[in-house]
């Protein structure tokens, strides 16, 4: 099964997203802060990561920077989609410079939209 | 010239001589000190020590001798007395007891008859009855006394280990012709111990007394006396018991009974043949002397080393003097050459002064012009000096030709430090270096350039820098004016605002997205079926939420517009493609309101223009949204794009058949939060920010927007985007 890692501190959003993606036949891992998220990226080696920006312990940018600095080059090939609610152009540009595949402002997208982005990145799940 | 060369050699020789004299002097002084001062001094020191010891020994010897002699003398007087009274009489007894009382160091006193038997005997501590009387016929004191001679025994130790001597004195008859008995007394030597103990010689020194056999009879350590130590083999003792004094600088060093090397003297006590020895450890006496000797030898070898170094230096000097002489010859040659050149220069100088005179004349002629220029220059200086902005003027070579007071302050320099200095000199001022580094990156600037300069710590000021080259009529660059405007505060505020907006957006959007996602999940039947009625209610909630989301997005856009930086992803884009993408997004809305939306394409593809596509989409979206929302049902919206060859712009028009905008309110159309009266009646939801955003997007791209409208007939919005953009 294709593995999706969601790093999101808002529990409601995390739950809804998780449900939506699991329904489509993906294996979903969840992390509630950047630190847990980074650890899971290293352990789980997901096929795609949905990453929030404003989070406790370790923010999304710090996670991206940690991946960029990590010795394990394989981590850098994992596609990352930002799901954030602060989408100022400076932030979007910074994220794109750090190699993210997409930048979604949550409030402008539905869980369905996010799911579509996941599919676009790693293909259909197994129903 | 040779004279001075000789002078140098002479001085060098003088230096050698001085060094040699100095060396000899030092060595000589050394030897003198060692030979004439130190050695005798050390000898003298030793001598002094020995003399001190000798003095002590003689003092002890004297005390002992006199006290023993005094006792003997007293005894002889007593012997005479009892010779008169008779040895067996009561008077004799009284005399003896008084004698005992007056001489406490006498332990016992007794009188022996001619047969050697004691007739009378008494002591301080004890009473002697007739049974206590002894026959001492064979004793030395009796045998000595009976032949008329005073006898002094060797030192004897009592039962309680007290050393004493026995003295025998003949008692003569009244007429002194015959011996009638012998007076015997035991003299305790504890007083000697007192004397020895009272002597203090250094830290390790001691004095002791031995009898004529070398037995220790008095020592500060009384226990040694009790042990009955014999020291006859110790050199000073050996000498003393032979009746010789022991006093010698060389052989004065010996090992005492404790096997410690000491320096001592021995004094023999004449007739008693006892010895008084005073000794002190060699270490204590010679320690300071030895360190003095060590120091002396160190000093000697040290100065020898200095002398060697001096000699070596002198050698070096002579080498370099040889080199100097060589250089000197070369210099001589050069100087001669210079001399001949000087002649030529002199001639040239005459020429120059002629030219100068001519120039001076010319200057006088242009004096008036110069006065005018001076006035002009002063006025310029006043203007530049009073500027708050920094101004740096460079000449054609890029060197600073002037700098105003504001710039002096910012760069922390003075005009005179930097004017016409080369870059290496300027780079020692870190702020100036950072300015030149920044300008360097824009070296290609030919007309006018604007850039940003952030000065390094601790200044950390940020400037907007304008570089403007100035030229003569022939377009030759004469120099560059650099003006700098402090925007530190603006930058700071901007950063704070960005941070605030970012946080506000996040905080406002997070609950909205939760509501949105929850409602969407329910509406999508992801968590089970819901009734049509339930779905309708949820849909209303969803729409209200969407409005809230749009409002916040509008507010964020406005915030960004006011930040002044609105365009981010500039790229060459096709305006037709952008329009078509927006049209797709609008389909849902047009269907709902049964509006016909038409795109009137240009006959030929339009040139691509440099824009931020997202922003253009947002502008088009807002315009189309208005055109649809305020249209009549079944109305029409036409969007068109064309190229205006006259202005070289692309013009986009959005035309509707809607309610129009009241004429009186059209001038406020693009204001923030403006909403037309008639629009409010139809739709209460608008934020009043849409057109404000549109105008700002267009303006940011260097375009213009205008509006033609008639109430109840419709509105046309036209905006332009320049084809050759400076963006």
């Amino acid at each position: 099964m294709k593995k999706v890692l969601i790093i999101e501190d808002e529990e409601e959003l995390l739950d809804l997203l998780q449900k939506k993606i699991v329904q489509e036949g993906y294996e979903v891992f969840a992390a509630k802060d950047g630190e847990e998220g980074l650890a899971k990226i290293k352990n789980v080696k997901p096929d795609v990561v949905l990453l929030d920006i404003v989070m406790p312990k370790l923010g999304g940018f710090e996670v991206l920077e940690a991946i960029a600095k990590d010795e394990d080059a394989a981590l850098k090939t994992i596609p990352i989609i930002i799901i954030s609610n602060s989408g100022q152009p400076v932030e979007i540009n910074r994220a794109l410079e750090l190699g993210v595949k997409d930048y979604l402002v949550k409030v402008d997208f539905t869980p369905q939209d996010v799911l579509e982005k996941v599919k676009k990145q790693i293909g259909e799940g197994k129903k | 010239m040779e004279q001075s060369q000789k002078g140098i050699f002479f001085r060098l020789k003088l230096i050698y001589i001085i060094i040699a004299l100095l060396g000899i002097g030092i060595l000589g002084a050394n030897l003198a000190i060692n030979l004439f001062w130190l050695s005798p001094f050390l000898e003298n020191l030793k001598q002094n020590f020995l003399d001190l010891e000798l003095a002590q020994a003689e003092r002890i010897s004297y005390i002992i001798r006199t006290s023993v002699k005094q006792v003997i003398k007293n005894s002889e007087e007593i012997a005479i007395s009892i010779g008169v009274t008779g040895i067996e009489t009561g008077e004799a007894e009284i005399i003896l007891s008084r004698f005992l009382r007056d001489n406490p160091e006498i332990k016992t006193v007794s009188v022996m008859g001619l047969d050697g038997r004691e007739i009378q005997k008494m002591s301080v501590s004890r009473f002697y009855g007739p049974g206590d009387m002894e026959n001492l016929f064979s004793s030395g004191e009796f045998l000595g006394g009976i032949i008329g001679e005073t006898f002094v025994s060797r030192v004897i130790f009592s039962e309680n280990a007290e050393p004493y001597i026995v003295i025998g004195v003949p008692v003569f008859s009244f007429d002194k012709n015959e011996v009638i008995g012998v007076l015997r007394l035991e003299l305790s030597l504890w007083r000697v111990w007192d004397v020895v103990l009272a002597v203090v010689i250094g830290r390790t020194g001691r004095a002791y007394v031995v009898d004529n056999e070398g037995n220790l009879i008095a020592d500060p350590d009384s226990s040694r006396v009790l042990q009955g130590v014999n020291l006859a083999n110790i050199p000073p003792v050996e000498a003393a018991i032979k009746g010789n004094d022991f006093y010698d600088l060389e052989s004065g060093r010996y090992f005492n009974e404790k096997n410690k090397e000491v320096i001592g003297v021995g004094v023999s006590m004449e007739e008693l043949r006892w010895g008084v020895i005073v000794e002190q450890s060699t270490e204590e006496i010679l320690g300071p002397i030895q360190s003095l000797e060590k120091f002396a030898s160190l000093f000697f070898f040290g100065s020898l080393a200095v002398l060697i170094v001096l000699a070596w230096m002198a050698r070096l000097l002579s080498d370099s003097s040889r080199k100097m002489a060589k250089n000197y010859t070369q210099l001589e040659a050069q100087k001669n050459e210079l001399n001949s050149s000087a002649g030529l220069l002199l001639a040239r100088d005459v020429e120059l002064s002629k030219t100068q005179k001519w120039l001076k004349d010319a200057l006088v002629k242009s004096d008036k012009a110069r006065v005018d220029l001076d006035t002009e220059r002063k006025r310029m200086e006043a203007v530049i000096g009073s500027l708050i902005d920094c101004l740096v003027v460079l000449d054609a070579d890029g060197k600073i030709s002037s700098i105003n007071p504001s710039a002096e302050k910012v760069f922390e320099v003075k005009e005179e430090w930097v004017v016409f200095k080369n870059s290496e000199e300027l780079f020692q001022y870190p702020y100036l270096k950072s300015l030149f580094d920044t300008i360097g990156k824009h070296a290609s600037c030919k007309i006018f350039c604007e850039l940003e300069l952030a000065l390094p710590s601790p200044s950390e000021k940020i400037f907007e820098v304008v570089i403007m080259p100035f030229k003569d009529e022939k377009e030759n660059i004469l120099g560059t004016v650099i003006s700098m405007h402090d925007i530190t505060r603006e930058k700071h505020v901007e950063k704070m605002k960005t941070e605030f907006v970012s946080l506000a957006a996040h905080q406002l959007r997070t609950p909205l997205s939760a509501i949105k996602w929850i409602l969407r999940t329910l509406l999508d039947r992801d968590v089970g079926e819901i009734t049509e009625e339930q779905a309708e209610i949820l849909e209303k909630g969803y729409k209200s939420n969407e409005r809230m989301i749009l409002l916040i997005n509008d507010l964020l856009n406005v915030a960004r517009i006011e930040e002044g930086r609105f365009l981010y992803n500039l790229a060459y884009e096709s305006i037709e493609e952008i329009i078509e993408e927006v049209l797709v997004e609008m389909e849902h809305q047009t269907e709902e309101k049964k509006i016909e939306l038409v795109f009137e394409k240009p006959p030929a593809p339009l040139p691509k223009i440099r824009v931020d596509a997202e922003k253009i989409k947002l502008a088009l979206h807002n315009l189309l949204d208005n055109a649809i929302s305020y249209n009549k049902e079944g109305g029409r919206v036409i969007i068109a794009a064309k190229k205006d060859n006259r202005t070289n712009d692309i013009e986009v028009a959005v035309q509707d058949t809607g309610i129009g905008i009241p004429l009186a309110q059209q001038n406020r159309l693009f204001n923030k939060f403006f909403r037309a009266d008639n629009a409010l009646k139809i739709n209460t939801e608008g934020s009043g920010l849409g057109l404000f955003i549109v105008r700002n997007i267009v303006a940011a791209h260097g375009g213009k927007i205008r509006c033609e409208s008639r109430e109840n007939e419709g509105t046309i919005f036209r905006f332009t985007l320049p084809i050759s953009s400076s963006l």
Side-chain angles (χ1 to χ4, degrees):
Chain A
M1 258 214 275
K2 284 167 185 165
K3 292 180 278 189
V4 179
L5 172 62
I6 308 171
I7 309 171
E8 165 67 71
D9 65 322
E10 284 294 324
E11 274 188 56
E12 296 86 356
L13 301 182
L14 181 63
D15 277 356
L16 293 169
L17 208 51
Q18 199 167 358
K19 274 195 190 104
K20 193 82 187 175
I21 297 171
V22 167
Q23 271 179 7
E24 291 293 314
Y26 296 97
E27 189 179 358
V28 177
F29 298 86
K32 282 180 189 157
D33 59 66
E35 216 171 79
E36 193 188 341
L38 188 61
K40 286 202 173 160
I41 289 172
K42 288 178 183 171
N43 297 334
V44 173
K45 302 251 162 63
D47 295 297
V48 67
V49 179
L50 300 173
L51 177 65
D52 193 5
I53 293 292
V54 184
M55 281 186 297
K57 290 186 188 171
L58 212 61
F61 283 121
E62 286 155 296
V63 172
L64 290 175
E65 276 157 9
I67 292 169
K69 276 182 207 152
D70 203 278
E71 288 167 12
D72 188 351
L75 296 185
K76 290 165 193 128
T77 64
I78 300 172
I80 294 170
I81 298 169
I82 299 294
I83 45 165
S84 172
N85 261 331
S86 74
Q88 294 201 74
V90 253
E91 293 169 304
I92 296 173
N93 283 351
R94 188 174 164 202
L96 292 173
E97 272 165 26
L98 284 163
V100 306
K101 296 291 176 198
D102 215 333
Y103 195 111
L104 308 182
V105 174
K106 281 178 279 195
V107 84
D108 295 336
F109 292 85
T110 61
Q112 184 63 38
D113 295 332
V114 179
L115 177 65
E116 296 302 326
K117 297 282 184 186
V118 169
K119 280 185 188 168
K120 199 179 132 196
Q121 281 302 329
I122 59 169
E124 298 275 343
K126 287 175 195 164
K127 288 227 171 166
Chain B
M1 294 306 121
E2 275 177 24
Q3 208 65 38
S4 62
Q5 199 171 341
K6 272 178 188 165
I8 289 170
F9 284 128
F10 177 70
R11 257 171 263 151
L12 278 169
K13 271 179 192 163
L14 209 63
I15 290 169
Y16 301 152
I17 292 165
I18 290 167
I19 289 170
L21 284 176
L22 212 65
I24 292 163
I26 290 169
L27 266 184
N30 237 305
L31 283 169
I33 286 167
N34 278 321
L35 284 174
F36 301 112
W37 179 74
L38 193 65
S39 300
F41 172 77
L42 295 180
E43 282 311 303
N44 212 6
L45 206 63
K46 278 190 211 168
Q47 181 84 52
N48 284 344
F49 271 108
L50 284 172
D51 286 350
L52 191 71
E53 287 179 344
L54 190 66
Q56 293 280 17
E58 279 178 343
R59 195 171 66 88
I60 296 164
S61 162
Y62 175 77
I63 293 169
I64 296 169
R65 244 173 27 234
T66 47
S67 66
V68 172
K69 272 185 180 167
Q70 190 61 45
V71 170
I72 292 168
K73 198 181 158 203
N74 291 350
S75 314
E76 283 167 349
E77 282 171 9
I78 293 298
I80 291 168
S81 302
I82 55 173
V84 173
T85 59
I87 51 175
E88 278 175 279
T89 61
E91 286 144 324
E93 197 181 334
I94 292 163
I95 290 167
L96 286 178
S97 66
R98 274 189 195 152
F99 179 58
L100 255 186
R101 193 189 63 204
D102 294 341
N103 297 279
E105 64 271 28
I106 295 172
K107 284 166 50 152
T108 55
V109 63
S110 61
V111 184
M112 295 173 277
L114 290 172
D115 57 353
R117 262 194 87 82
E118 284 172 319
I119 298 160
Q120 302 225 42
K121 188 173 187 176
M122 58 183 70
S123 94
V124 183
S125 55
R126 202 185 143 186
F127 172 78
Y128 294 94
D132 294 318
M133 303 299 165
E134 291 174 71
N135 192 329
L136 296 169
F137 185 80
S138 55
S139 68
E141 59 269 26
F142 179 76
L143 294 176
I146 207 72
I147 57 164
E149 280 176 15
T150 300
F151 168 86
V152 178
S153 78
R154 64 174 190 88
V155 179
I156 305 154
F157 291 89
S158 71
E159 288 153 25
N160 51 358
E162 195 182 353
Y164 65 96
I165 49 171
V166 178
I167 298 168
V169 182
V171 181
F172 288 98
S173 62
F174 179 68
D175 54 16
K176 292 188 184 174
N177 287 331
E178 50 184 330
V179 175
I180 54 167
V182 176
L183 178 69
R184 175 185 187 274
L185 45 102
E186 292 175 7
L187 178 66
S188 166
L189 295 179
W190 60 266
R191 271 217 160 171
V192 180
W193 184 66
D194 264 4
V195 172
V196 166
L197 200 61
V199 172
V200 178
I201 305 154
R203 193 164 38 79
T204 58
R206 63 162 182 166
Y208 60 91
V209 184
V210 291
D211 68 11
N212 52 0
E213 288 171 5
N215 294 311
L216 197 62
I217 54 171
D219 189 287
D221 180 2
S222 55
S223 68
R224 296 178 47 73
V225 176
L226 302 184
Q227 284 160 19
V229 179
N230 188 288
L231 301 173
N233 57 345
I234 303 293
V237 178
E238 205 177 349
I241 56 183
K242 283 179 186 155
N244 301 321
D245 285 349
F246 181 85
Y247 176 85
D248 185 356
L249 281 178
E250 281 314 305
S251 57
R253 291 161 81 145
Y254 60 88
F255 288 90
N256 66 8
E257 78 282 7
K258 290 169 190 165
N259 210 18
K260 202 166 177 191
E261 197 187 27
V262 292
I263 292 178
V265 293
V267 172
S268 174
M269 267 185 262
E270 299 161 20
E271 60 278 11
L272 283 171
R273 296 253 169 133
W274 294 356
V276 177
I277 318 300
V278 175
E279 65 183 26
Q280 204 173 348
S281 80
T282 315
E283 201 186 313
E284 190 182 8
I285 296 175
L286 296 184
I289 297 172
Q290 278 164 350
S291 46
L292 256 175
E293 279 171 339
K294 249 184 239 165
F295 175 76
S297 57
L298 250 174
F299 183 58
F300 179 79
F301 287 112
S303 34
L304 204 66
V306 169
L307 193 69
I308 290 164
V309 170
L310 277 175
W312 179 66
M313 274 169 65
R315 212 186 119 81
L316 272 187
L317 255 173
S318 82
D319 278 357
S320 55
S321 76
R322 241 172 272 137
K323 277 181 203 154
M324 257 173 76
K326 207 175 149 196
N327 285 347
Y328 197 86
T329 320
Q330 283 175 357
L331 274 172
E332 243 354 71
Q334 281 171 8
K335 197 171 176 191
N336 287 336
E337 212 173 289
L338 271 174
N339 273 343
S340 58
S341 315
L344 280 175
L345 276 172
L346 215 66
R348 213 166 291 165
D349 197 41
V350 174
E351 269 173 48
L352 267 174
S353 56
K354 276 182 199 163
T355 318
Q356 204 180 12
K357 192 176 179 307
W358 180 83
L359 270 172
K360 210 173 167 185
D361 292 345
L363 275 173
V364 170
K365 278 175 202 160
S366 65
D367 215 24
K368 197 186 168 301
R370 206 178 56 201
V371 171
D372 289 350
L373 263 174
D374 259 11
T375 319
E376 188 57 30
R377 190 171 53 84
K378 273 177 188 148
R379 191 162 51 197
M380 277 304 291
E381 273 174 3
V383 170
I384 291 170
S386 64
L387 269 181
I388 294 169
D389 280 0
C390 304
L391 218 59
V392 178
V393 183
L394 306 184
D395 66 8
D397 300 330
K399 285 181 178 165
I400 294 175
S401 64
S402 72
I403 169 170
N404 76 340
S406 296
E408 283 185 332
K409 214 167 133 190
V410 164
F411 292 116
E412 295 176 2
V413 295
K414 289 263 169 265
E415 187 167 33
E416 59 266 30
W417 303 349
V418 296
V419 165
F420 300 123
K421 296 283 158 66
N422 56 32
S423 48
E424 288 95 75
E425 279 173 280
L426 295 180
F427 283 6
Q428 62 176 304
Y429 310 108
Y431 299 150
L432 264 185
K433 183 178 189 302
S434 122
L435 172 70
F436 280 95
D437 286 348
T438 312
I439 303 172
K441 288 173 198 151
H442 295 76
S444 57
C445 180
K446 292 280 179 282
I447 309 162
F448 176 90
C449 297
E450 213 174 24
L451 47 111
E452 211 173 281
L453 166 68
L455 293 183
S457 174
S459 163
E460 286 181 346
K461 279 186 188 276
I462 303 168
F463 291 90
E464 199 173 62
V465 182
V466 174
I467 308 171
M468 206 167 71
F470 54 97
K471 302 165 186 172
D472 63 8
E473 315 87 75
K474 289 169 188 163
E475 291 289 298
N476 297 317
I477 290 179
L478 299 174
T480 314
V481 178
I482 301 166
S483 80
M484 296 168 45
H485 179 63
D486 190 338
I487 51 163
T488 315
R489 207 183 125 70
E490 285 93 323
K491 283 280 156 190
H492 186 61
V493 170
E494 189 181 301
K495 188 167 171 275
M496 269 168 44
K497 194 171 172 183
T498 307
E499 279 164 9
F500 171 75
V501 169
S502 171
L503 200 71
H506 182 261
Q507 300 298 65
L508 288 167
R509 280 164 156 182
T510 298
L512 291 175
S513 33
I515 295 167
K516 177 176 175 148
W517 287 20
I518 289 164
L519 293 176
R520 197 71 255 166
T521 306
L522 291 171
L523 284 167
D524 287 352
R525 275 82 171 166
D526 281 348
V527 285
E529 276 304 316
I530 51 171
T531 67
E532 215 37 54
E533 206 185 339
Q534 285 168 337
E536 258 173 51
I537 294 167
L538 288 175
E539 193 69 49
K540 277 178 190 162
Y542 186 82
K543 276 189 178 163
S544 296
N545 194 50
E546 281 296 288
R547 263 202 343 260
M548 192 69 195
I549 291 168
L550 286 176
L551 181 60
I552 284 165
N553 285 352
D554 276 353
L555 279 170
L556 287 176
N557 278 327
V558 169
R560 269 174 222 153
I561 285 165
E562 287 177 343
E563 234 173 77
R565 287 193 179 196
F566 195 49
L567 304 181
Y568 278 89
N569 300 308
L570 287 165
Y572 284 95
E573 308 273 359
S574 151
I575 189 74
E576 296 102 303
E577 279 172 27
I578 292 174
I579 291 170
E580 292 199 63
E581 277 174 47
V582 179
L583 290 181
V584 174
E585 285 172 24
M586 304 310 291
E587 268 170 17
H588 180 67
Q589 248 175 299
T590 50
E591 271 169 34
E592 217 172 51
K593 256 209 143 179
K594 301 188 176 65
I595 300 280
E596 191 190 353
L597 179 56
V598 184
F599 177 25
E600 284 180 358
K601 286 188 188 175
L606 295 172
K608 291 197 170 181
I609 46 174
R610 195 165 158 76
V611 292
D612 180 338
E614 284 302 315
K615 296 296 179 308
I616 297 295
K617 274 188 203 172
L618 180 62
L620 288 171
H621 188 279
N622 284 0
L623 287 175
L624 288 170
D625 188 64
N626 282 346
I628 296 163
S629 299
Y630 303 108
N631 217 321
K632 294 158 192 159
E633 214 170 290
R636 243 171 97 90
V637 174
I638 302 164
I639 182 164
K642 63 173 187 181
K643 188 178 166 204
D644 185 335
N645 286 321
R646 191 174 52 86
T647 57
N648 203 25
D649 286 336
I650 282 175
E651 188 190 271
V652 180
V654 177
Q655 184 176 10
D656 66 54
T657 53
I659 57 171
I661 302 151
L663 194 65
Q665 293 186 327
Q666 280 181 16
N667 57 341
R668 289 160 55 206
L669 197 57
F670 297 103
N671 287 4
K672 223 186 319 184
F673 302 115
F674 167 77
R675 298 204 63 210
D677 293 340
N678 55 350
L680 270 169
K681 282 176 198 157
I682 296 171
N683 184 352
T684 53
E685 293 168 4
S687 65
L689 293 169
L691 288 176
F692 174 77
I693 293 169
V694 173
R695 193 195 62 179
N696 275 288
I697 292 171
V698 171
H701 283 90
K704 286 189 175 111
I705 186 163
R706 62 201 157 88
C707 160
E708 300 157 26
S709 181
R710 268 180 201 198
E711 231 178 323
N712 297 318
E713 280 182 29
T715 308
I716 306 177
F717 281 97
R718 295 176 205 275
F719 69 87
T720 58
L721 295 169
I723 290 169
S724 54
S725 161
S726 62
L727 295 170

